[in-house]
Amino acid sequence: MLDVNTITVIGAGTMGSGIAITAAMAGIDVCQVDVSQEQLEQARGYHEKTLGRNVAKERMTQAQADATLARIGYATETCKAAESQFAIEAATENEAIKKKIFAGMVETYSNDCILATNTSSISIGSIAKSVGPAADRVIGMHFFNPVPVMKLVEVIKCEATSRETLDQTMALGKAMGKTPIAANDHPGFVSNRVLMPMINEAFHAWNDGVADPESIDGIMKLGCAFPMGPLRLADLIGLDVCRDIMLVLHNGLGHPDKYKPCDKLVELVESGRLGNKTGWGVYDYREAAATA
Ligand code: CAA
């Protein structure tokens, strides 16, 4: 099995920056790429904060934290192209943008570099098809937020994905300290096929007046041993992301109403309440953020 020592992560948002720090903490050199310098600086700030917390908790020494940070290069253009054994795309959840990035990945990285996407719902087969002969190196590597904490990586193979690509991806997931579990390329894969309808149903329960958000979350948290309730989790994921994943299920699975995004969810998204990232979603975080 290939010993992965260098990867590129394309996209330095919440997921991309989380994947980068998780890989660096596992001893892998990382090139963190984003078109936005500001986004790269935010990612670096997040990396410093995460490492600082580990030092404060005496999980690593300052020297180890410095060495981990030094493993990450930040670039607005591709870097470590020749050395990267994996390029993991974690950019905007938009199929056209992802296909454009994949076309660039095929051009930039070596002929044996594995081309992974952290998409939460876009068809891996459709991305693979867009890269022609490189299709056998395309795979889904779906991480969970917050990446350094969540143990799973859902590995999604499509028809074109080779056995070698699957094996290498499972091995990288393990090397990053995760438990990789493979699934097939269906709308929402396993995680979002099961999770999102539950979140959507929580919006329906709120909309129908079954209970207020605090009570819905309290009931699910204490009654089902969830770490956080479905509505607070929706805020963490992003309400726009939840709506978009419901639309992928709605359009892809062919039931007229079963996967339709709840009106309440759509209403909040359209009013700009997207969750933690805008300071207001189901819950209002603005006062807490101002006093933090
Ligand atoms: N980055 C790094 N570490 C983080 C973090 C972040 N963004 N957020 C929290 N942590 C760490 C904290 O530092 C803390 O670590 P220590 O124990 O080492 O101090 C630990 O996680 C616990 O954090 P807190 O004490 O602040 O809070 P908590 O105990 O309430 O846990 C939580 C917070 C980890 C987010 C927990 O509530 C949880 O697991 N929630 C569920 C998250 C979940 O389901 N994620 C999946 C979403 S679905 C998805 O991502 C895929 C998709 O396609 C939509």
Side-chain angles (χ1 to χ4, degrees), residues 197-213 215-217 219-220 230-231 262 264:
M198 185 197 66
I199 288 179
N200 200 46
E201 202 56 37
F203 278 93
H204 278 299
W206 178 21
N207 201 33
D208 292 351
V210 182
D212 59 22
S215 304
I216 292 169
D217 278 346
I219 286 166
M220 296 309 289
L231 295 171
C262 175
K264 185 93 176 169

Side-chain angles (χ1 to χ4, degrees), residues 4 11 20 38 76 92 118 127 179 181 186 193-194 203 212 222 275:
V4 175
E38 194 188 335
T76 50
T92 311
N118 177 56
I127 295 174
T179 301
I181 303 182
H186 285 259
R193 170 100 180 238
V194 176
F203 278 93
D212 59 22
L222 299 175

Side-chain angles (χ1 to χ4, degrees), residues 39-51:
Q39 193 69 61
L40 287 171
E41 276 156 25
Q42 271 184 33
R44 191 183 163 98
Y46 170 67
H47 296 160
E48 285 170 349
K49 194 170 153 201
T50 304
L51 292 168

Side-chain angles (χ1 to χ4, degrees), residues 14-15 21 46 50 53-54 57 59 118-121 142-150 154 191-192 195-196 199 221 226-228 233 236-237 241-242 245:
T14 306
M15 298 306 288
I21 190 65
Y46 170 67
T50 304
R53 205 168 39 225
N54 279 314
K57 294 218 158 182
R59 291 198 192 107
N118 177 56
T119 183
S120 50
S121 57
H142 182 206
F143 290 87
F144 292 78
N145 183 19
V147 182
V149 178
M150 304 300 288
E154 185 178 31
S191 55
N192 281 320
L195 174 67
M196 279 305 154
I199 288 179
K221 203 175 149 182
F226 291 168
M228 65 198 338
L233 180 58
L236 176 74
I237 293 167
V241 176
C242 295
I245 295 172

